[in-house]
Amino acid sequence: MTTQFAAADWMVFTVYALIMISTGWYFNRQKSANTDDYFLGGHKMPVFLVAVSVLATSQSAATFLGGPDQGYRNDLSYLATNIGAFIAAFFVAIYLIPKFYQHKVTTVYELLSQRFGENAHKQAGIMYLFGRIFASGARLYMAAIAVSMILFGDIAAQSVIISTLVLTCVGLMYSIIGGIRTVIYSDAIQCAVYVSAAILVLYFLLQAIPADFSQIIDALRYPIDREQSKLTVFNFDWDFTSAGVFTIWSSLTGFVLLNIAAFGLDQDMTQRVLTCKDARQGSFAMIYSVLMVIPVMLLFIAIGLLLYVLYQRPDLAFGESAKDITQSFSGEKITIFMYYVLNEIPAGVKGLVTIGVIAAALSTLNSGLNSMASVLVQDIYRPYLNKKGAQKPEQHFVKAGQFCMVLVALALSAMAILCYYWQQYSDTPLLAFALSVMVFSYSGLLGVYFTAVFTHRGNATTVPLALITGFLVSLSFQPYIIDNVLPAQWQFNLGFTWQLCIGAMLSFLVCVAGNNTPNSLKVKQMEVQP
């Protein structure tokens, strides 16, 4: 395989590096005076910019690499999951965002202290950190794999580790000084970069396929390797395995819960919404981001559909057939998109695709660094000092946030390296793998928050039990646990959306098992308003 960069590729890299350096310097000129400014941008961020930041945070390297893989291997059914995203966005906009602004929280977990006390606040924050390290580490790993293949020409452990550390260091240096304000502006730039790269790839694919549009549509409507059309959006199959996670039933159940957790309980996403002026603007930013996800996701899946025509229908593309493709790299199986990038993409575009992967990774990485630092400082470190009676100026907590970003960067790098072995063992498609690792923390958090918002039950004892239950239930469904614990005749494969439904339900039942022991006169404020 050829991975050498041409002069045009290096020129693209140079331009991108200059943009990163200049924008990083510009956005980091203004230092944050307090944690509200560092973690929430002083509640002065524009609605549209916040919406783009939420979009960029959710559309990571997993989308850049996994979206085309989804289109090539399957169909358009992933788009149907946006039904669940819309339901979740309106739920969060009605029930959660107003409460976050009402209680003037910096992190979403501060809200739990009103119901269950400070310990619950801290426990939920720790569970988020644990899950976010899994999720963001997985995304960093995917980007590192792609960068290693293109830059070093292999995916040896040393090359992957170097790629991981380079990506982490760039993300850390870019956002450590300016805080969330820098992250949001950076997200907008990175989003423009990776969407532009995807559009250019789509253009060259269309140029490489001499067939007219109607022939391409017919080839996708009547694929040679499956009965169902690859243009299928709504899949009504009753498939509960990992191969059926993008059915309409998953969209209306597991993906609703997944997006409620992402938009309302995951500090990584919700932090951006809290940078708006008020709850109304924050809600609009969230809903706008869901609207923007649809065309962006369609763009990446369309790349996969055209790759299918290019390689599976050589009679239309006049190219090599899928039987002639050696879809491996250094002995490891790779996605068809990476095969195309490594072998056939024109000079100059290869460089743009590479920085597209880097941009997608950085948009998610920067978000994770700042959001996890905010939880470490606001949910763990500050309450600890308050309990000790130590008084510190606001600038102290800003510096603590910057230090915590370094710690988080190290943790994410370690997790990315671990994922190198984890994903290969599970043999899960990239997009599904990136989504599935989020279930570990989301299951417990959903159970606890549903208890807090919709019931008068639960207490400081059942909250940690519910969080642990959600994690253990998710862990018990993993292939490496089932294969090693259950007899062969009892082994099964359950999709992550259904894992989330079961985990959230059991976590909720554990949490409501406790009698209500109010920690504050403000408990009534947590009730659902008509």
Side-chain angles (χ1 to χ4, degrees), residues 268-285:
D268 202 33
M269 295 267 228
T270 313
Q271 183 184 13
R272 273 128 201 79
V273 176
L274 296 179
T275 63
C276 292
K277 180 181 178 181
D278 51 39
R280 182 173 177 273
Q281 289 191 5
S283 297
F284 276 123

Side-chain angles (χ1 to χ4, degrees), residues 107-316:
T107 73
V108 297
Y109 315 110
E110 293 176 35
L111 200 63
L112 292 180
S113 63
Q114 302 290 336
R115 263 294 253 121
F116 305 119
E118 286 296 330
N119 283 338
H121 169 194
K122 180 174 66 175
Q123 290 155 359
I126 292 173
M127 181 56 69
Y128 156 76
L129 289 171
F130 194 78
R132 180 44 59 188
I133 287 175
F134 271 61
S136 293
R139 285 157 172 75
L140 179 60
Y141 145 73
M142 292 173 196
I145 286 288
V147 171
S148 177
M149 284 190 286
I150 298 172
L151 290 183
F152 298 104
D154 61 52
I155 49 174
Q158 181 179 357
S159 300
V160 173
I161 290 172
I162 293 174
S163 299
T164 299
L165 295 178
V166 168
L167 287 171
T168 305
C169 289
V170 171
L172 183 63
M173 289 187 295
Y174 197 87
S175 58
I176 192 170
I177 297 176
I180 190 64
R181 183 185 295 105
T182 303
V183 170
I184 289 176
Y185 280 106
S186 169
D187 282 347
I189 295 171
Q190 309 301 349
C191 185
V193 169
Y194 71 72
V195 169
S196 299
I199 291 173
L200 202 56
V201 170
L202 195 68
Y203 169 78
F204 278 100
L205 277 170
L206 288 170
Q207 292 295 105
I209 301 173
D212 60 38
F213 188 71
S214 61
Q215 290 176 305
I216 292 174
I217 294 298
D218 284 341
L220 296 174
R221 188 176 294 165
Y222 306 107
I224 60 176
D225 57 344
R226 53 184 275 166
E227 293 182 5
Q228 198 170 30
S229 168
K230 291 184 72 66
L231 300 178
T232 300
V233 177
F234 301 108
N235 185 343
F236 292 92
D237 292 345
W238 290 96
D239 186 353
F240 295 94
T241 69
S242 56
V245 294
F246 298 139
T247 64
I248 191 68
W249 315 117
S250 275
S251 300
L252 295 173
T253 53
F255 272 100
V256 173
L257 294 179
L258 184 75
N259 283 286
I260 287 175
F263 291 140
L265 310 182
D266 190 327
Q267 178 69 4
D268 202 33
M269 295 267 228
T270 313
Q271 183 184 13
R272 273 128 201 79
V273 176
L274 296 179
T275 63
C276 292
K277 180 181 178 181
D278 51 39
R280 182 173 177 273
Q281 289 191 5
S283 297
F284 276 123
M286 179 180 297
I287 294 170
Y288 291 157
S289 72
V290 176
L291 287 171
M292 288 189 287
V293 161
I294 298 174
V296 172
M297 197 65 229
L298 177 60
L299 172 64
F300 285 100
I301 295 177
I303 290 174
L305 295 177
L306 290 181
L307 287 171
Y308 174 85
V309 175
L310 182 67
Y311 293 124
Q312 295 284 357
R313 293 294 304 270
D315 55 314
L316 297 179

